[in-house]
Amino acid sequence: MTFNVEATCPGTAARAATVTTDHGVIATPIFMPVGTAGTVKGVHMSELRDDIKAQIILGNTYHLYLRPGMGVIEAAGGLHKFNGWERPILTDSGGFQVFSLASNRKLTEEGAHFRSHIDGSKHLFTPENVVDIQRTIGSDIMMALDECAPGTSDRAYTRRSLDLTKRWLERGWKHYRATEPRYGHYQSYFPIVQGCTYPDLRREAADHATQLGADGYAIGGLAVGEPAEVMYDMIEVVNEVLPADRPRYLMGVGTPVNILEAIDRGVDMMDCVMPTRNGRNGLLFTPDGTMNMRNAKWANDFSPLQEDGPSVVDRVYSKAYVRHLFVANELLGMQIASIHNLAFYLWLVGEARKHIIAGDFPVWKRGMVERLGRRL
């Protein structure tokens, strides 16, 4: 994998770059739609590719490991062939899902013991076997196994958690270096920087991770209960340590404003379920604020969802029609909203990239943040 910074913007840490993988080139800053179980909920691959213009999507080790299982994915020739997505895929190691979804979980030096949220069966994730699982999935970018401490964790807990994550990272990196890809394309392995809301622990974690010389680095454990300003501070702390010649991936963030603030602080890659999850509940993001499509004010508004929106659905369907779909609990409403929101997120990071290259990102961002905060 290669990373090339094409432009930086004075007055900020924002940069425009390209990440080149065997499955294609990714222009950053980029938002990555979340396809947890091998699918972005309610969205066809052709829509992701042609309408939304996604450049990379996510899969999740925990969910894919449990269902359909590695035997099915291996028999298919990897996730790219299984789900029909020809472009890059990133997989989370499953650590966050173990801690948030699995019951009776227990962390030991060996790894994370847990019971499946599907059938209660017992499983163990280790730093080594999550590398093997992601090798079988065939993702272009793999994540290290870590513990995501809650944003309100005290220092003593965070210290123990970080020490475990660091030891797991060393084992995972060693195993990654000792194994080969399964399907003939290169796979990167990103360490995840933890440390909760403690600046010195974040710096320590970032310094430890960078010693490995990995292809890129992830910032984890944010947007998990801490205030937004604290999250921004931690991004700045970590990015002061992470190398400028490697991509930086902020995990699980966030709102459109969060994304612009992260880009401002030097983040290149982001993902979040927010555009699809909120879309399925009738909340649409636009450049001028958010729209609740269940609101009666749209009942007789026959104007397009967004006159000059980036997606086909923006121009084809009216606000009144989409409101009707949600009130009637029609699945099409959820699909339209998911496509709209994802296309908006991809448009937003694309516009950010243009303004970074033009050198006026700070001015554009200030105006956009003000607009995004409105409720329509």
Side-chain angles (χ1 to χ4, degrees), residues 252-268:
V253 178
T255 69
V257 170
N258 292 158
I259 285 173
L260 294 183
E261 296 293 353
I263 291 170
D264 196 337
R265 291 161 172 80
V267 168
D268 306 294

Side-chain angles (χ1 to χ4, degrees), residues 46-54 275 284-289 291 304-317 336-351 354 368 371-372:
S46 60
E47 292 163 337
L48 279 169
R49 182 182 60 246
D50 302 329
D51 195 9
I52 295 166
K53 296 180 173 56
L284 270 60
F285 297 99
T286 80
D288 295 306
M291 297 191 300
L305 280 179
Q306 194 176 328
E307 290 280 359
D308 55 350
S311 170
V312 170
V313 300
D314 295 333
R315 303 180 291 278
V316 169
Y317 300 106
I336 291 170
S338 296
I339 293 170
H340 164 88
N341 281 350
L342 287 172
F344 168 72
Y345 267 59
L346 268 294
W347 172 86
L348 184 67
V349 295
E351 289 296 298
K354 291 177 185 176
M368 185 58 68
R371 292 167 62 188
L372 290 170

